Amino acid sequence: MVEVTQLLDQGLFSPAWECICSLGPLPPGGYEWLIAKLLERWFATAPEDQANPSRFQDDPKADFQFVPAAPPAIRGDRMLLVFSDMGQKLGGCPLPLLQSFLGRLGVHVLYLRDLENVFFLNGQPCDSYDLSATIRRIQTLGNHHGINHFVALGTSSGGFGALHWGLHLHARRIVSLAGPTDLTQCLPDLAQKQKDIGIPAQFQATLWDANAATRLRQAGPDPQFRLVLAADNDNDTRFARDLGSPLPSHITVEKLEASSAHNVLIPLMQTGRLESLLLELIGP
């Protein structure tokens, strides 16, 4: 699968498909199965969709990659922020393969990575880790492209990033795929990691930053926040408990029954829920 992933990172779908077909039948429900199914869906699309100019080659060392909506940009007034997990992908899905689907939604897409793996608590290195400066840079990009609102998607650690940064950006909708909502208990270790990285003291995360769940409960009515997790994953269901109870109307927890997968992209694909979830996130 390493070769398949490398080909997909370069946007080389046909060689990747040939390579994955050579592997023979794949066990259902695994990472390899997910990639194969996404590729299968891609090759089932019309030729004009496959020629979509929004496809791109991923730079695995880049933490800020903007893909403008391909014309006709039917939803060109919004930007989707995609927050990678600690594997620097989205649930193991290479970003060009993901873009092959997101690009057909008619939105501008911004792919974000946390190369320091500190749950997106800080801004990006080019902004001296100042999150407010990174947020301003995103807003400036949005203004340049006539964007009226933001939506955010993240998986695992990137789910926290989508929530944390989404609150700063006043995002309209946020979807977290099995991402934590409160990092308070992890903050001492993360604080030490921030110091080791050399993040300036004034830009290191505080308890207020780490406890996104409390900030979310106070935000209402926007953003509309949806946490998607496997019902049988005890660790991830804790993320839902951290949101408190009862939940206000702008917070929804969607539990995928009969699944214990942390990578919920897999059960979402198995049940056919993935596409409708993305459409709900983007909005009409």
Side-chain angles (χ1 to χ4, degrees):
M1 284 299 293
V2 173
E3 183 180 354
V4 173
T5 300
Q6 291 174 340
L7 289 168
L8 290 173
D9 284 341
Q10 300 173 62
L12 301 174
F13 289 8
S14 293
W17 179 244
E18 292 175 5
C19 187
I20 205 166
C21 287
S22 70
L23 299 176
L26 298 171
Y31 162 68
E32 295 86 356
W33 176 89
L34 173 65
I35 298 301
K37 283 297 179 183
L38 288 170
L39 271 172
E40 187 179 282
R41 288 280 298 277
W42 167 249
F43 282 107
T45 60
E48 57 268 24
D49 288 332
Q50 294 182 24
N52 193 325
S54 66
R55 289 171 61 182
F56 79 111
Q57 294 186 17
D58 180 26
D59 178 356
K61 297 181 180 179
D63 57 9
F64 193 101
Q65 297 183 98
F66 178 67
V67 185
I74 56 175
R75 299 180 180 89
D77 62 341
R78 64 206 72 177
M79 182 192 293
L80 169 61
L81 282 70
V82 178
F83 293 79
S84 297
D85 51 38
M86 288 190 179
Q88 307 307 336
K89 301 183 186 299
L90 194 88
C93 180
L95 301 188
L97 182 55
L98 180 66
Q99 178 61 25
S100 70
F101 292 92
L102 298 182
R104 299 204 303 271
L105 299 178
V107 295
H108 305 284
V109 184
L110 177 60
Y111 291 99
L112 297 157
R113 283 191 171 103
D114 173 18
L115 297 174
E116 309 289 2
N117 284 336
V118 286
F119 290 84
F120 290 92
L121 279 167
N122 311 99
Q124 296 191 319
C126 67
D127 298 313
S128 301
Y129 300 98
D130 179 359
L131 181 55
S132 61
T134 300
I135 294 298
R136 287 194 300 271
R137 189 154 51 91
I138 295 172
Q139 291 170 329
T140 299
L141 178 65
N143 291 336
H144 178 74
H145 288 274
I147 289 164
N148 293 327
H149 65 268
F150 299 96
V151 294
L153 170 70
T155 183
S156 193
S157 61
F160 182 86
L163 173 56
H164 182 38
W165 290 29
L167 287 168
H168 280 276
L169 284 162
H170 305 289
R172 193 164 295 183
R173 287 173 295 278
I174 301 169
V175 169
S176 171
L177 304 179
T181 57
D182 184 353
L183 296 175
T184 302
Q185 293 184 347
C186 305
L187 189 58
D189 290 337
L190 289 168
Q192 184 59 54
K193 188 171 185 178
Q194 290 175 93
K195 292 177 183 177
D196 294 342
I197 293 168
I199 296 176
Q202 67 269 32
F203 300 140
Q204 292 177 19
T206 64
L207 281 172
W208 183 86
D209 296 310
N211 192 355
T214 296
R215 288 185 284 128
L216 174 65
R217 289 182 65 86
Q218 297 170 347
D222 288 330
Q224 295 293 312
F225 177 75
R226 180 176 294 268
L227 173 62
V228 183
L229 48 80
D232 297 334
N233 188 307
D234 292 338
N235 184 65
D236 292 355
T237 53
R238 175 172 53 87
F239 303 155
R241 292 195 297 272
D242 288 341
L243 290 170
S245 181
L247 292 176
S249 60
H250 65 285
I251 301 176
T252 301
V253 175
E254 180 174 339
K255 294 185 178 181
L256 305 178
E257 299 298 331
S259 175
S260 61
H262 175 63
N263 183 3
V264 293
L265 275 180
I266 294 173
L268 286 171
M269 192 70 183
Q270 287 176 311
T271 59
R273 172 70 173 119
L274 181 58
E275 186 172 355
S276 61
L277 179 67
L278 292 174
L279 288 172
E280 291 167 12
L281 170 62
I282 299 302

